[in-house]
Amino acid sequence: MAGSPTTGPPFAGSLAATQVAIYRDEGYLFPVPVFTADEAAELRAAFEAFEARWSDDTNLPRPFAQYLRDGMQVISPAADCIARHPAVLDVIESILGPDLMVWTCELLAKEPHSPKMLTMHQDLNYWGFDAVGQHVTAWIALSEVTDENGAMHFVRGSHRWGNVDHHDTFGADNILSRGQEVTVAHDPADEVVVALSPGEMSLHDGLMVHGSGPNVSDGRRVGVAIRYLTPSVRMHDGRDDYATPVRGDCSGAELLMLPVPAVDFDPETVPFHERMLVAHDETLGAGAAQPMVYDGVRTVESP
Ligand SMILES: O=C(O)CCC(=O)C(=O)O
């Protein structure tokens, strides 16, 4: 399969109980090594080949950036491959248990000298899940990730604050689709820079307050975020949503099952992906004054 690492995972295995305890206590854990530098380079090449093949395709019905930011595992075998890789799943299983689904897989790149950034926010505020503690984000570095090139910052312990108020900025350089930002202050001493080497991953809770600054370096910052959840997650308002089963028994899942692509933009999976995007336009855009924006391009009007 395109993008599949050619060597076995170097660090596959469960987290130690002490690591799980740190994750639960602080709301994040890093660095967790999951791929060698060579494997990370191979995965990065597969994602960048996808970008090269499709970024200029004018027949895509949505902004290309939206395809990178939502549900890549349904339209790219390279994304599906990393999202179900055993080295990653073994770690996620330590946090969520044996039955695992992927809600979405995203490519999060920042070009050299790009002002693109993400305001401090909590993911869970916008995802519409009815449960806390049943999901985790794995953010896998496919380049060096430093404060200079736009590493994430976490606010230690903020996963215990509950849902905090946000306002939408729709900032021109904001990668977030509505420029959402928490309205509460935090102690700068609690802010942690999530520096990673290629092949290392960070984990964070959906209530973790986090964001990231611009890339002021000469190199591209490349990361893949994968949102894992358990089959017990439901949408709080009974709306439809979708997920890809990747390990264990997900037959009783509340979310609808997504199929696996055999090729880029597989005609068999694209209709499911589009249904998923329509659901996310509604959920992630709920209450916003404008349609969501991906890389400066507005999505279709939310109903
Ligand atoms: O890639 C980034 O800089 C931030 C990503 C993020 O906010 C997330 O993965 O939840």
Side-chain angles (χ1 to χ4, degrees), residues 108 110 118 121 123 137 139 150 152 204 210 212 221 225 227:
L108 285 155
K110 287 183 187 166
L118 291 90
H121 65 285
D123 297 326
T137 288
W139 198 105
M152 281 191 288
H204 69 266
H210 64 292
S212 65
R221 191 216 73 168
R227 322 291 180 178

Side-chain angles (χ1 to χ4, degrees), residues 20 29 39 47-48 83 96 104 106 112 117 142 166-167 191 212 225 227 237 251 275 279 283 287:
V20 176
L29 184 74
E39 289 170 335
F47 275 92
E48 290 185 337
L96 294 182
T104 178
E106 309 178 31
M117 43 72 76
L142 299 184
H166 287 63
H167 68 120
E191 215 169 291
S212 65
R227 322 291 180 178
D237 54 5
S251 55
R275 267 175 246 160
T283 308

Side-chain angles (χ1 to χ4, degrees), residues 1-296:
M1 179 182 290
S4 178
T6 50
T7 55
F11 313 108
S14 310
L15 294 176
T18 47
Q19 291 175 295
V20 176
I22 291 170
Y23 173 79
R24 301 225 186 279
D25 193 41
E26 300 194 327
Y28 65 83
L29 184 74
F30 75 93
V32 180
V34 279
F35 298 115
T36 64
D38 284 351
E39 289 170 335
E42 204 177 330
L43 289 161
R44 174 176 173 166
F47 275 92
E48 290 185 337
F50 178 89
E51 288 180 281
R53 282 194 293 275
W54 297 100
S55 59
D56 293 333
D57 191 309
T58 50
N59 294 319
L60 294 176
R62 296 207 175 227
F64 179 64
Q66 192 174 10
Y67 291 106
L68 299 180
R69 289 289 314 285
D70 204 349
M72 266 194 96
Q73 81 279 9
V74 196
I75 52 163
S76 155
D80 177 73
C81 170
I82 195 169
R84 66 174 67 248
H85 197 288
V88 180
L89 296 185
D90 287 347
V91 172
I92 302 302
E93 182 169 341
S94 304
I95 307 270
L96 294 182
D99 304 324
L100 299 172
M101 306 185 84
V102 170
W103 186 53
T104 178
C105 174
E106 309 178 31
L107 181 65
L108 285 155
K110 287 183 187 166
E111 304 306 326
H113 300 284
S114 161
K116 297 284 181 188
M117 43 72 76
L118 291 90
T119 34
M120 296 300 264
H121 65 285
Q122 292 173 312
D123 297 326
L124 206 55
N125 248 17
Y126 295 86
W127 289 357
F129 299 166
D130 75 342
V132 291
Q134 296 301 314
H135 60 274
V136 59
T137 288
W139 198 105
I140 302 171
L142 299 184
S143 68
E144 281 300 336
V145 175
T146 63
D147 208 17
E148 194 192 14
N149 71 14
M152 281 191 288
H153 288 205
F154 292 153
V155 179
R156 181 183 290 114
S158 54
H159 65 308
R160 298 191 194 285
W161 296 357
N163 282 292
V164 301
D165 286 342
H166 287 63
H167 68 120
D168 294 339
T169 68
F170 285 102
D173 291 327
N174 206 319
I175 292 175
L176 293 170
S177 55
R178 51 198 284 179
Q180 57 267 37
E181 182 176 35
V182 290
T183 55
V184 293
H186 61 270
D187 183 343
D190 290 332
E191 215 169 291
V192 183
V193 178
V194 190
L196 298 168
S197 292
E200 290 181 343
M201 132 176 127
S202 64
L203 304 175
H204 69 266
D205 184 274
L207 286 175
M208 170 60 44
V209 172
H210 64 292
S212 65
N215 181 353
V216 296
S217 81
D218 294 335
R220 190 176 202 225
R221 191 216 73 168
V222 187
V224 174
I226 309 163
R227 322 291 180 178
Y228 291 97
L229 38 76
T230 70
S232 65
V233 169
R234 280 186 305 208
M235 304 311 283
H236 67 76
D237 54 5
R239 277 188 192 149
D240 282 349
D241 208 331
Y242 301 82
T244 305
V246 288
R247 178 171 276 187
D249 178 8
C250 299
S251 55
E254 300 286 345
L255 272 55
L256 302 165
M257 302 277 182
L258 289 165
V260 176
V263 293
D264 289 355
F265 288 101
D266 188 332
E268 298 291 322
T269 64
V270 163
F272 290 88
H273 186 255
E274 178 55 29
R275 267 175 246 160
M276 187 204 75
L277 291 182
V278 169
H280 291 181
D281 285 342
E282 280 187 44
T283 308
L284 289 120
Q290 310 173 25
M292 295 189 291
V293 180
Y294 288 94
D295 217 5

